[in-house]
Amino acid sequence: MREEPAGQTKFPFLWYALAAAAVLLILAWGVAEKGPSHWDDSWYLAAAVRLFDKFGEQGLSAYWNGFRYALPDKAPLITVLPFPFFCLLGRSVFVVYLVSAVACVALAAGLYRLCRKFFGQTVSLLSVFLALSSPLLAGLSRIFLPEYWLTVLVVLAMLALAEWDDTERDRWLVWLGALCGLGLLMKITFPAFAAPAIAVVLWRKHGNRAGRLLLDVVLIGVPLLALAGPWYVHNWEAVMHRSFQETYFTPVHPTAKPSPLAMAADYFLIHVNNSWSVIHVLAGVAGLVAWLDTRRDNFLGRAIYYVVPWLVMLPVFALSENRDLRLIAPMFPAFAIVTAALFARALERWRRARAWMLAGVVAGGVLVTLGNSFEVFGPRTLQLGPWQVFSYAQGYSFAPNPQRWPLDKVLELLARRERLQPGSKLIVGLGADTWSFNTNNLDLEAALLKYPFEFHTTAYTASTEQIHRIMSATQYFLFKQGGTQQPLDQFRSGARTLDYLAKGPLFHEVPPGVETPDGGRIEIFENASAGPDVFYPARQPGAAAQLDQADVNLGNYLQITGLRLAEKQGVFTLQLRWRCLNPVPVAYRCFAHIVNAQERPLGSMDHEILHGSPPVNEWQPGDEGYEARYLALPPATARNAHLQIGIFDLESGLRVPVWTSTFPLRDDYTAAVVDPAQPPPAGYRFEAGPAPLTACNVVFENGLRLTGYSLRRAGEVMWVRLRWEAPRRLSKRLRFFGHAVADQSRDTPILLSFDQDLGLEKMPAPPRGSPIEATEDIVRDAAKLGAQAKFLRAGVFDVDQPLDRLSVRTSSVTLSRQQKAIYLPLPPPAGAQ
């Protein structure tokens, strides 16, 4: 192979051969893989599938809004990567391997061109070969996790930095900033790998020229903030909480390991066994011996200003609580560069053996890669001390699963049994956590099948109370018995989960089970001790369940006509009979909170009414439904507890006020209070409701309009109804302020507040050309509001900037431009003159 000087950028034939072989290996592995994906990769891919479905169903604007919230506490760029392949091939798991193939080529190209800035062709090709053949990166290339693409973005950022270092052209700093922005959207740890090198190279280039240094930082920062800033502004608190929860930056407890040195040694051995191969180690050792035997100069040359800062954060990961192998994957190209540069010294030192040494490293690397990808050599055929030459199922590098698991069959059985319809949701529990059977890959299968399932597992808790609470909130529970795949040692809740399924008061088995390819069986249990959900169309009335009569009118949309709440040994059983009064505008959910005598929450039975079969916004007046829900609490905790029940909009989080009720009410007349030990108060009846709307036209900035309002004062109740209109889905979280005041002066005291979120930013985007319309009800206890309250001073402000009210452009009612508020006349209390 003819050696070319550093600086050449064309790709030689051997580079194409390396890249093609790596891509073919990824695709071959993907073809051989028949089993389900595992944990995090299923979670990421399910989010990508649902995001793509938003695009197909609602268009580009819904796709953008979905991207912002695709992963609530993790950077979401990974969910976009499959999009073009979904468009070409449809919704399929195989697109994961095509996405990885693109990343593999980008990694090989970026790393080769970066190395050619500093080294000859031999070192550059060796760096690419060692990186692609490392067990960790080869394994990650077959799993849908952000670390592989994060590695690519780090390498490309280093290349852009090196291009600027050579040319001093500002466009490379702009590209660097864009790559840093994409890196932050891939994962928050991106700066740990790229930022030190950027800082070193910038400082080395400019020295004390602070003005030029600041300008270069701005050139990098502007595209970075433009790309990553909007998402991090909305999600910063959640992301930082997640980062410290995963303990990226938290030192391990001092008693966990005897010393930092022992921790570092343990971390090194973990990676030698699972992330590197004996070929990498032998090549590095041979090069180190040759380097020590000769000049012992800077064998990295100018690359030292990139490679050393690239690796400087390694001790943070080595000594942190979270020691997951994949976290330092973006450092492996730097390891490959160091190893290749050292091995080049060995080739120079022992020239006669050069061909044999190269052949040995290449042949050994190929065999190790094949041994870590397929069981061509058996699970483990050669081990040298702590190092395995051919390893299988170690870390993230393992052979494909040739057995197809019947996850789709299990979900189809549940869907058929429930007769699921669009908009429904089914809550399913899981008492297992294995590679092939866990909540994440079941959720992915549900996303691919477009089944509205929500999964919860008891595998991650050691609390019997929490196990029972999770199980009682599910409609079905899945448990895998037998087989070779068993949960990991830390998931020890299986025995208690199974005991509660078999002996508890809630579940009965639904035969037959579903056989699994490892020799086990998935058993299905239904949570239906008080009977299954039943829907009664208005034209086909069914037999009424024997429940206590009730009358709880919720927003004049739904009515609870029958209710029974029982508690026995800590198990609450809530039975409800619903009736539709008028067409329901949205798919309201039921909230049902168990609280103690001090109003502290003990547990929740929040649920979708009838599990969405059918959704309540498809009910017609006269339709009825029966359902039962359960909650298990410790018997001592459940003593003297009571229920608070009502309905709310899941998107906005706003509750619906109660118009009539035979139960006492709380929380601004939105929750009926039910005591399992006592019947409803005899003769008690609450009645209220809004006054008819008065048309108005109040135009706020951003196009928000108030088109109607009404105010009613009945006894102790003040009812405010507002009708809003917006030309599009709002990006800001807006809140209505309403202050009962005695006069229109700026400093008049607030006698009663009617503040409440609008929730318009969470409403789905309207059809093109149609506005968003929403009616908001606000109810307050006005018992202490005297006759001096004459006006409702009202307006809107941004929750993120509470001191900055929205300007009122025009108004058909009394307006104070200085206060950015309108004034609505309050009705006087009953009997007032």
Side-chain angles (χ1 to χ4, degrees):
M1 179 174 60
R2 183 174 63 87
E3 185 72 8
E4 295 184 0
Q8 299 294 323
T9 58
K10 66 179 181 180
F11 296 108
F13 171 79
L14 286 178
W15 179 89
Y16 288 101
L18 275 176
V23 168
L24 287 175
L25 182 65
I26 293 171
L27 298 180
W29 197 95
V31 170
E33 171 67 19
K34 305 299 182 185
S37 52
H38 304 143
W39 289 283
D40 288 3
D41 46 335
S42 294
W43 184 66
Y44 285 115
L45 188 55
V49 171
R50 292 192 172 100
L51 185 59
F52 178 74
D53 288 343
K54 281 184 177 293
F55 172 77
E57 296 167 2
Q58 302 177 37
L60 191 58
S61 62
Y63 185 85
W64 165 243
N65 288 321
F67 168 74
R68 291 172 58 195
Y69 303 104
L71 303 174
D73 55 6
K74 288 193 175 185
L77 184 58
I78 189 172
T79 60
V80 177
L81 301 180
F83 180 84
F85 298 103
F86 283 153
C87 292
L88 292 172
L89 303 178
R91 302 154 70 259
S92 166
V93 175
F94 190 77
V95 302
V96 167
Y97 310 110
L98 299 176
V99 170
S100 292
V102 173
C104 180
V105 174
L107 174 60
L111 184 56
Y112 180 81
R113 291 198 58 171
L114 175 64
C115 289
R116 293 297 277 130
K117 294 288 181 182
F118 317 110
F119 305 105
Q121 193 175 92
T122 300
V123 173
S124 302
L125 287 171
L126 276 172
S127 298
V128 173
F129 175 76
L130 293 172
L132 295 182
S133 63
S134 66
L136 178 62
L137 288 183
L140 288 175
S141 71
R142 303 185 283 262
I143 307 174
F144 191 64
L145 294 172
E147 280 74 18
Y148 197 67
W149 269 97
L150 185 67
T151 303
V152 174
L153 291 171
V154 169
V155 169
L156 295 179
M158 293 295 184
L159 176 59
L161 182 64
E163 291 283 2
W164 171 81
D165 196 8
D166 283 348
T167 65
E168 296 192 23
R169 293 176 179 170
D170 290 344
R171 71 165 184 254
W172 287 111
L173 291 180
V174 176
W175 277 111
L176 175 60
L179 288 166
C180 290
L182 293 175
L184 277 169
L185 285 176
M186 188 62 67
K187 196 162 187 177
I188 193 175
T189 55
F190 176 85
F193 310 109
I198 295 173
V200 167
V201 173
L202 286 177
W203 184 260
R204 175 174 170 266
K205 197 77 170 178
H206 295 306
N208 295 325
R209 292 186 297 166
R212 180 61 197 182
L213 180 63
L214 179 61
L215 177 60
D216 288 347
V217 170
V218 170
L219 288 173
I220 296 171
V222 168
L224 185 156
L225 293 175
L227 286 171
W231 187 85
Y232 275 95
V233 165
H234 286 88
N235 298 276
W236 178 253
E237 185 176 350
V239 171
M240 290 306 297
H241 173 74
R242 179 76 179 199
S243 297
F244 282 96
Q245 182 186 58
E246 292 184 342
T247 58
Y248 289 146
F249 314 114
T250 304
V252 72
H253 192 276
T255 60
K257 298 291 178 184
S259 69
L261 183 61
M263 289 179 62
D266 177 64
Y267 192 67
F268 173 78
L269 290 176
I270 289 173
H271 278 282
V272 166
N273 276 286
N274 300 284
S275 302
W276 305 336
S277 74
V278 70
I279 301 302
H280 293 72
V281 175
L282 290 178
V285 169
L288 186 61
V289 169
W291 178 69
L292 291 173
D293 188 46
T294 54
R295 298 186 300 274
R296 286 180 285 183
D297 59 348
N298 176 15
F299 64 91
L300 289 173
R302 192 163 57 93
I304 196 170
Y305 299 109
Y306 295 79
V307 173
V308 173
W310 198 338
L311 300 173
V312 74
M313 296 295 288
L314 181 60
V316 173
F317 293 95
L319 302 178
S320 69
E321 187 75 27
N322 190 345
R323 298 157 72 80
D324 195 323
L325 303 177
R326 75 186 201 227
L327 295 183
I328 67 164
M331 293 183 178
F332 268 69
F335 290 134
I337 293 172
V338 173
T339 304
L342 278 172
F343 188 62
R345 286 301 176 89
L347 296 178
E348 292 176 5
R349 178 68 179 81
W350 299 295
R351 290 181 179 276
R352 293 184 178 180
R354 175 187 174 95
W356 288 103
M357 293 170 65
L358 275 174
V361 167
V362 172
V366 170
L367 292 176
V368 167
T369 303
L370 290 174
N372 280 283
S373 303
F374 302 97
E375 286 192 81
V376 291
F377 306 111
R380 191 178 300 166
T381 60
L382 178 60
Q383 184 162 329
L384 302 176
W387 301 305
Q388 297 157 8
V389 179
F390 304 129
S391 62
Y392 164 59
Q394 299 294 313
Y396 288 93
S397 188
F398 45 83
N401 184 354
Q403 298 175 323
R404 183 181 179 277
W405 278 62
L407 303 185
D408 55 343
K409 182 177 179 181
V410 174
L411 300 186
E412 286 167 358
L413 284 173
L414 298 181
R416 285 200 302 269
R417 184 176 178 84
E418 286 297 310
R419 303 182 302 279
L420 287 178
Q421 301 180 22
S424 306
K425 180 173 285 188
L426 194 65
I427 311 298
V428 180
L430 196 67
D433 195 281
T434 67
W435 272 34
S436 301
F437 187 65
N438 55 66
T439 55
N440 296 122
N441 56 33
L442 280 168
D443 185 55
L444 172 59
E445 192 66 36
L448 292 169
L449 295 171
K450 293 192 175 182
Y451 284 156
F453 288 6
E454 184 177 305
F455 296 92
H456 301 273
T457 181
T458 58
Y460 294 91
T461 178
S463 166
T464 300
E465 175 187 339
Q466 185 66 12
I467 290 171
H468 291 176
R469 187 175 299 181
I470 291 172
M471 296 174 69
S472 63
T474 64
Q475 186 174 6
Y476 287 93
F477 203 87
L478 308 176
F479 196 91
K480 179 176 173 290
Q481 290 271 41
T484 57
Q485 282 198 25
Q486 296 297 323
L488 301 177
D489 291 341
Q490 63 263 38
F491 302 142
R492 301 183 182 275
S493 63
R496 284 170 290 171
T497 299
L498 184 59
D499 182 71
Y500 197 68
L501 285 171
K503 303 176 183 178
L506 302 182
F507 291 91
H508 66 259
E509 187 173 357
V510 179
V514 178
E515 302 298 325
T516 59
D518 70 335
R521 186 180 69 200
I522 298 171
E523 297 177 345
I524 302 172
F525 295 84
E526 184 177 13
N527 184 351
S529 297
D533 294 352
V534 182
F535 176 69
Y536 305 110
R539 298 177 299 277
Q540 302 173 12
Q546 297 301 312
L547 304 182
D548 300 328
Q549 287 189 352
D551 182 6
V552 182
N553 181 333
L554 299 156
N556 211 30
Y557 299 126
L558 296 171
Q559 179 186 21
I560 300 176
T561 60
L563 185 150
R564 178 175 296 167
L565 178 67
E567 184 270 324
K568 183 177 181 181
Q569 297 181 349
V571 178
F572 287 86
T573 301
L574 172 64
Q575 296 172 264
L576 296 166
R577 177 100 179 187
W578 299 90
R579 181 179 177 84
C580 179
L581 302 175
N582 289 292
V584 183
V586 298
Y588 289 119
R589 290 174 67 94
C590 173
F591 68 85
H593 302 159
I594 300 295
V595 301
N596 62 14
Q598 291 74 40
E599 304 299 324
R600 295 182 60 184
L602 303 175
S604 169
M605 290 184 278
D606 291 10
H607 63 276
E608 189 175 16
I609 298 170
L610 266 63
H611 291 94
S613 299
V616 292
N617 57 335
E618 296 180 8
W619 289 23
Q620 300 299 317
D623 290 350
E624 296 189 348
Y626 165 83
E627 65 179 358
R629 295 295 178 265
Y630 315 91
L631 179 67
L633 296 174
T637 303
R639 193 174 299 118
N640 298 323
H642 60 271
L643 171 76
Q644 295 181 4
I645 188 171
I647 61 174
F648 70 104
D649 179 6
L650 181 63
E651 292 294 330
S652 66
L654 299 179
R655 293 182 175 183
V656 176
V658 177
W659 289 36
T660 61
S661 176
T662 52
F663 295 94
L665 300 175
R666 285 190 58 84
D667 296 339
D668 293 323
Y669 305 96
T670 62
V673 179
V674 183
D675 193 326
Q678 299 177 4
Y684 175 85
R685 185 173 182 83
F686 168 86
E687 291 192 46
L693 283 169
T694 299
C696 66
N697 184 29
V698 182
V699 181
F700 296 87
E701 60 181 282
N702 298 327
L704 177 66
R705 293 178 62 215
L706 178 67
T707 61
Y709 72 92
S710 69
L711 296 92
R712 181 185 182 189
R713 190 168 182 173
E716 299 178 352
V717 179
M718 176 71 76
W719 195 299
V720 177
R721 170 165 279 198
L722 307 166
R723 187 173 63 202
W724 299 98
E725 184 178 294
R728 59 190 176 280
R729 179 172 176 169
L730 303 177
S731 58
K732 297 180 179 179
R733 180 185 167 196
L734 300 180
R735 187 172 178 85
F736 168 80
F737 69 86
H739 304 153
V741 294
D743 56 60
Q744 299 182 22
S745 63
R746 183 183 185 90
D747 300 323
T748 186
I750 299 174
L751 305 176
L752 184 63
S753 173
F754 291 79
D755 291 13
Q756 182 168 287
D757 285 350
L758 295 185
L760 294 176
E761 80 283 357
K762 296 181 179 179
M763 295 187 67
R768 185 180 299 274
S770 300
I772 291 178
E773 296 181 336
T775 299
E776 180 181 24
D777 288 299
I778 308 172
V779 186
R780 296 290 187 267
D781 186 345
K784 298 181 180 180
L785 188 64
Q788 72 272 26
K790 302 292 186 182
F791 301 98
L792 184 71
R793 180 172 59 200
V796 180
F797 65 90
D798 185 347
V799 174
D800 295 328
Q801 298 177 327
L803 299 180
D804 188 13
R805 296 175 176 176
L806 267 65
S807 300
V808 183
R809 304 301 190 198
T810 60
S811 176
S812 61
V813 299
T814 304
L815 166 66
S816 170
R817 293 191 181 277
Q818 183 182 14
Q819 299 177 37
K820 297 182 179 180
I822 59 174
Y823 282 88
L824 305 176
L826 285 175
Q833 298 297 322

